[in-house]
Amino acid sequence: MGQNQGSTGGSVNEEDDIVLWPAAADSAYAAARRSLLRRERELHDLAESVAAERRALPRGAVVDEYVFRERPAGPARGDGPVETALADLFGPHDTLVVYHLMFEPGSGQACPMCSMWVDGFQGVAAHLARHTAFAVVAKAGADELRSWGARRGWGGLRLLSSLENTFNHDFGVETKDCEQAPGVSVFVRANGVVRHHYSARPELSPTRSERGIDLLSPVWQVLDLLPAGRGGWYAENSYVEEV
């Protein structure tokens, strides 16, 4: 954290003693930044309120006993992928977060944007594990999914195939034509019963597409700080493999 500019002559937000600009900033900038700070406070308060409502959702529906196929990371175990039930993904936790990875069977690679999201989850997996179970589910086969995960460095994540069940369709990430879509779902387990708690998709409405789960990716949050914002940028799979 940088040195407090208030002790070195920098301009200070007089209301809260928050240093948000250097001493060389003019009055127009200072006024605009103070105005923006007020809006940021409003956004923060709204986000806190929405999060509280999300936590307080009524008890959700009981979930079917889905069984997935999984190729564990590391040395192969047995002669092929193993079966893993949804309930078994919780481990010692009473909550489970699932990222619905957009990955068409036989395509060889997942959606670039989804892959960017899961790159971020891989980076914070150890932190999430202190609070909740986390898994990635995709329609692609277990071997194809683990192969893509190995190329992306997702060794710390559970990667499960829903190729042989209706999980994707039941949670709105597969159309009637079997087209795949991204999303996130939260499940809770109590007294051995698994229930749905919350799901979100990038589409908040027909006119608000691809931003519904942006808060789950640090990439968008950083790009939105830039003068040009995110623009029309779209993630690609190729440049990650070049790093």
Side-chain angles (χ1 to χ4, degrees), residues 107-154:
S107 63
Q109 61 179 353
C111 160
M113 200 69 79
C114 276
S115 295
M116 180 193 75
W117 253 278
V118 180
D119 288 342
F121 294 136
Q122 167 65 37
V124 298
H127 305 289
L128 293 177
R130 305 291 293 180
H131 305 274
T132 185
F134 181 86
V136 176
V137 175
K139 199 68 174 182
D143 287 325
E144 187 177 21
L145 180 55
R146 178 51 69 185
S147 176
W148 181 245
R151 291 171 62 182
R152 300 291 294 207
W154 297 343

Side-chain angles (χ1 to χ4, degrees), residues 16 42-43 54 60 116 118 153 159 161 190 192 219:
D16 290 314
E42 293 172 1
L43 180 61
R54 185 185 301 118
M116 180 193 75
V118 180
L159 306 178
S161 169
V219 175

Side-chain angles (χ1 to χ4, degrees), residues 63-68 84-96 133 158 187-189 192-195:
V63 176
D64 289 344
E65 297 179 357
Y66 297 99
V67 175
F68 305 93
T84 303
L86 179 66
D88 294 335
L89 293 173
F90 284 78
H93 300 288
D94 58 6
T95 58
L96 166 68
R158 301 289 296 271
F187 302 91
V188 297
R189 181 179 61 178
V193 178
V194 177
R195 293 179 179 272

Side-chain angles (χ1 to χ4, degrees), residues 11 14-15 38 47 69 80 117 119 122 124 132 142 162 171 183 189-190 194 198-199 206-207 218-219 223 230 242:
S11 297
E14 296 176 354
E15 181 179 352
R38 288 192 290 271
R69 302 282 285 176
W117 253 278
D119 288 342
Q122 167 65 37
V124 298
T132 185
S162 58
F171 286 93
R189 181 179 61 178
V194 177
Y198 173 81
S199 287
T207 59
V219 175
L223 292 183
R230 63 182 72 183
E242 295 171 357

Side-chain angles (χ1 to χ4, degrees), residues 197-217:
H197 175 69
Y198 173 81
S199 287
R201 292 276 306 279
E203 301 83 10
L204 289 172
S205 73
T207 59
R208 301 185 185 192
S209 62
E210 295 198 354
R211 295 201 176 191
I213 58 175
D214 280 8
L215 290 176
L216 299 179
S217 172

